[in-house]
Amino acid sequence: MPTRIEQHGLVFFFDLVRLSQIDYQLFLSSDKADEVVFAVLANFGNMEPEKAASQILDRLAQTSPTPLELNRHLQQLRILANLRKLSPFIEQIMESITNYIKEEDDYFFKKGERIGELKGEQKGRQEGLLEGLQEGEQKGKQAGKQEAILKFLKDGILTTKQLASYFDVSEEFVEDLRKNLDQ
């Protein structure tokens, strides 16, 4: 990144400071929640990310004057943690946020809920269709067996036991068909 700007006879020099090289405690010591949020981009040193997350969240809660401000800072924190690709840290943040805001009011919670419902409906339709096809196939096979057994019963060639064995049905099933045939 350039550290010099030249425009119409003006020259500006500046130093670049990487936030990832600054100790996160510096940001935590601020009384301004807008500055505390940047602790997520700083260097945690030997501190475990979970503990750092907890400290950042606690400090944000202390320095945010209203619940609305706190919510805004928590959203910023989530975005910055995502930019830094701190997935476990984001999970920790999201778990801890529930102490300060209702998950049900969160935009991403609502969006995830809608997506989950749509996926659930789609999966339910697919499973229902598959079940229906399997049930239809079973009924079709059963109807075919029933028709064949009735023909054999009319001819009177095979016994109930033989028909049950050949068509892989119970003897009671064959007897019920015989009774309906006689009526």
Side-chain angles (χ1 to χ4, degrees):
M1 185 170 196
T3 58
R4 176 185 173 120
I5 298 175
E6 291 187 41
Q7 289 271 325
H8 307 289
L10 298 173
V11 179
F12 298 97
F13 294 92
F14 51 92
D15 292 326
L16 286 181
V17 178
R18 291 185 178 172
L19 291 175
S20 62
Q21 293 176 339
I22 298 173
D23 186 359
Y24 82 107
Q25 293 289 339
L26 178 68
F27 293 103
L28 283 183
S29 65
S30 175
D31 291 330
K32 297 177 184 175
D34 291 328
E35 294 172 4
V36 173
V37 169
F38 288 107
V40 72
L41 297 176
N43 185 353
F44 298 146
N46 294 331
M47 182 64 69
E48 295 175 20
E50 293 80 18
K51 288 183 181 179
S54 178
Q55 290 176 346
I56 294 169
L57 289 166
D58 289 344
R59 188 68 181 144
L60 279 176
Q62 294 167 1
T63 56
S64 296
T66 66
L68 184 62
E69 290 280 318
L70 176 61
N71 189 24
R72 181 173 62 86
H73 293 118
L74 292 173
Q75 298 301 335
Q76 291 170 347
L77 184 66
R78 177 173 46 193
I79 291 166
L80 292 174
N82 210 1
L83 288 174
R84 191 168 166 189
K85 297 180 178 24
L86 295 172
S87 295
F89 189 76
I90 292 170
E91 289 176 23
Q92 174 73 20
I93 290 170
M94 298 316 299
E95 285 299 316
S96 300
I97 282 176
T98 59
N99 297 331
Y100 305 106
I101 61 172
K102 292 181 183 177
E103 287 178 327
E104 298 83 24
D105 295 339
D106 183 62
Y107 166 77
F108 291 106
F109 179 87
K110 290 176 182 178
K111 183 177 180 180
E113 193 173 47
R114 283 193 305 272
I115 291 170
E117 286 173 356
L118 291 174
K119 285 183 179 180
E121 286 175 11
Q122 185 179 26
K123 187 175 180 181
R125 283 190 199 111
Q126 289 172 344
E127 288 175 359
L129 180 62
L130 183 61
E131 251 180 62
L133 289 172
Q134 289 172 343
E135 189 176 314
E137 189 178 318
Q138 281 299 107
K139 285 183 179 179
K141 286 180 182 178
Q142 192 72 7
K145 286 181 182 181
Q146 188 172 347
E147 191 175 316
I149 292 170
L150 284 170
K151 285 181 183 177
F152 278 107
L153 287 173
K154 285 179 186 175
D155 292 341
I157 300 172
L158 300 172
T159 66
T160 300
K161 188 173 187 172
Q162 289 171 324
L163 288 171
S165 174
Y166 293 149
F167 289 100
D168 195 27
V169 294
S170 67
E171 289 182 30
E172 293 81 22
F173 180 78
V174 175
E175 281 303 314
D176 287 343
L177 289 176
R178 184 185 305 278
K179 287 177 188 173
N180 289 337
L181 186 64
D182 291 341
Q183 292 177 353

